[in-house]
Amino acid sequence: MNPSLQAKRILLVIGGGIAAYKSLDLIRRLRERGATVRCILTKGAGEFVTPLAASALSGQRSHTDLFDREDEADIGHIRLARDADLIVVAPATANLMAKMAGGHADDLASTVLLATTLPILIAPAMNVRMWLHPATARNLAALTRDGVHSVGPNEGAMAEAEFGPGRMAEPLEIAAAVERLLAPSGPLLGKHVVVTSGPTHEPIDPVRYIANRSSGKQGHAIAAAAAAAGARVTLVSGPVALPDPPGVTTLHVESAREMLQAVEGALPADIGIFAAAVADWRVAEAGTHKMKKDGNALPPLALVENPDILATIAQSREGRPPLVVGFAAETRNVVEYARRKLEKKGCDLIVANDVSAETGVMGGDSNTVHLVTRDGVDTWPTLSKADVARQLIAHLGTLMGAAPR
Ligand code: C5P
C-alpha cells in the first residue's frame, strides 16, 4: 500500500449512528496509508461501537468525555483540537452537523470541533428524510461556508429498510477524500506566503486606541486561498472579528510595530502580501494610565509616523520575498495613487481599490480591484472577496512560475 498519508495525524470523531461500525474499518484504511489515527467517540457512538474497539484498531487511546480528569491531564481537549493535520467526522450525524453549524460545545466531540482551526472533513450519515430536511441542508450550507469539507452521503439501501441519500460514504471513499485534502498539491506547493490583514490598534492609553474600519475579510480570504493553493501560509492579523483560516498559521498582533516584528519573524517567504490597513500614525507617548478628563485642557495627542511594513520589507536587502504585493485603498484617483505607491514602496504589484463609503468595500463582501504593475493596469469586474483572493493567488502562482527569482 502506498503510504500516501505518511506522518499525517488524523483525529477521527465518531458520531452516534449505525454507520459508526464502518468507521472502525476507516481507522484501518487510514493507518494502512501511513496515518496516525486518534479517536473521539460521542456518547451516541458508544452505543454502536466501543472505545475499546476504536483504541485497539487505532493503537491509541480513544477519548469520550470532556470532563475526564485523566484525559485532560494527559492530552486535554485543546491539544486534541490542535495536534492533528485533519479532523474527520464520520459518521457526521444530523445532530452533530447541527451542533457544528450552531457552534455548540456540550461534549468532548463538539468542543474540540469548535476549538479547532484544523481542516475538517465530514462524512454525513443519516436517515434519508433527515438528510433531505431543510434544516440539514441549511446546516450543510453553513458548514461549507465555514470551510468544512464533506464526502458523501451516498444513495442506497439503508437501515430500517429505507432507500435514498443518507448512507455514509464507504471507508475507501473517505480515505480517498482525506488523501485529496492532505496530499500536497496546488500552484503554490512548497512556497511560503506571508499575509498581513486587518486594521492595527494604536494605543492612546491602556483603554483607548486609534483604529480604522478594516474588517480583515480580504486579507483573510487571501491567506485561505494561498493555503488552498498548497502554500504554507503565515497570516499576521490585526484585531478582527474573524476566525483564523483553517490550515493557516495565524499570528495575532495589535499595533503596527508588533505587525512589522511578526512579519520580520515570519520571513523568509516566497511571497509577501500586505493587505492590512496599517495605521499611519501612532500616539507618540501612549499613557501608562487612563487619561482623566479633569481640568479644562484637552489631552495633547502628538502623533508620530508608524513604520511602513510594506516599504520596509520591499526595500530590505536581505529577506525580501521575490514577490511583494501591496494594497492601495483609496477614495479617489485610485489607479494614479497606486502607480505612485508601487514606485515609492518598491513592491512588484499593487492591488488598488476604491473604498469610498458608497462602494461598501470596507467591511463588505465584494471588491472591485485594479492590478497595477510597472507593465500596466488590469481592472477586474466586481467580485466577492473570496473570488478576488482566489484569482489573485492564481495570478501570483503564474507569476512565480514565469519568473523565478
Ligand atoms: O500608504 P498606504 O497606507 O496607502 O499603503 C498601503 C499599502 O501599504 C498596503 O499594502 C498596506 O498594507 C501597506 N502599509 C504597511 N505599513 C504601513 C502603511 C501601509 O505595510 N505603515
Side-chain angles (χ1 to χ4, degrees), residues 35 83 113 123 148 226 230 232 249 260 339 349 372-373 379 390:
D83 287 358
L113 287 162
V148 171
R232 177 167 75 82
T249 303
L260 175 61
R339 274 209 195 92
L349 194 157
V372 181
T373 61
T379 298
R390 278 191 282 271

Side-chain angles (χ1 to χ4, degrees), residues 198-204 209-212 238-239 253-261 264 276-286 302-313 315 344-345:
T200 61
H201 284 181
E202 307 298 331
I204 296 170
Y209 54 81
I210 299 175
N212 62 64
V253 298
E254 297 231 333
S255 67
R257 286 189 294 176
E258 287 168 10
M259 188 173 272
L260 175 61
Q261 200 177 14
E264 286 177 331
V278 184
D280 290 320
W281 306 284
R282 68 175 181 276
V283 176
E285 275 183 58
L303 299 178
V304 290
E305 209 165 313
N306 263 331
D308 189 314
I309 302 167
L310 168 62
T312 306
I313 302 299
Q315 293 165 21
K344 191 168 150 227
K345 306 213 181 202

Side-chain angles (χ1 to χ4, degrees), residues 129-351:
R129 272 180 294 276
M130 290 166 93
W131 174 252
L132 296 175
H133 196 286
T136 303
R138 269 198 310 275
N139 291 333
L140 180 66
L143 292 171
T144 307
R145 261 198 314 279
D146 289 347
V148 171
H149 305 274
S150 61
V151 51
N154 295 339
E155 192 168 290
M158 299 175 63
E160 299 130 22
E162 296 216 77
F163 188 91
R167 215 165 90 155
M168 187 169 88
E170 294 305 317
L172 282 178
E173 293 174 85
I174 301 174
V178 170
E179 283 177 323
R180 277 196 299 280
L181 284 174
L182 292 183
S185 68
L188 294 184
L189 182 63
K191 306 287 182 207
H192 180 210
V193 179
V194 173
V195 182
T196 68
S197 179
T200 61
H201 284 181
E202 307 298 331
I204 296 170
D205 65 20
V207 296
R208 304 183 179 94
Y209 54 81
I210 299 175
N212 62 64
R213 291 186 195 282
S214 168
S215 65
K217 283 183 182 172
Q218 187 63 80
H220 277 54
I222 288 169
R232 177 167 75 82
V233 182
T234 307
L235 171 65
V236 182
S237 172
V240 293
L242 297 173
D244 294 349
V248 167
T249 303
T250 306
L251 308 174
H252 297 272
V253 298
E254 297 231 333
S255 67
R257 286 189 294 176
E258 287 168 10
M259 188 173 272
L260 175 61
Q261 200 177 14
V263 168
E264 286 177 331
L267 295 177
D270 300 281
I271 307 179
I273 305 174
F274 297 85
V278 184
D280 290 320
W281 306 284
R282 68 175 181 276
V283 176
E285 275 183 58
T288 46
H289 294 289
K290 185 181 169 192
M291 289 181 183
K292 305 302 285 177
K293 59 173 178 276
D294 46 14
N296 295 325
L298 293 173
L301 279 189
L303 299 178
V304 290
E305 209 165 313
N306 263 331
D308 189 314
I309 302 167
L310 168 62
T312 306
I313 302 299
Q315 293 165 21
S316 65
R317 278 165 206 272
E318 268 173 50
R320 182 196 195 273
L323 204 49
V324 176
V325 180
F327 272 68
E330 300 291 352
T331 52
R332 59 195 166 130
N333 301 339
V334 177
V335 170
E336 185 44 39
Y337 284 149
R339 274 209 195 92
R340 283 190 222 164
K341 218 162 275 185
L342 187 74
E343 290 313 324
K344 191 168 150 227
K345 306 213 181 202
C347 50
D348 305 297
L349 194 157
I350 289 266
V351 181

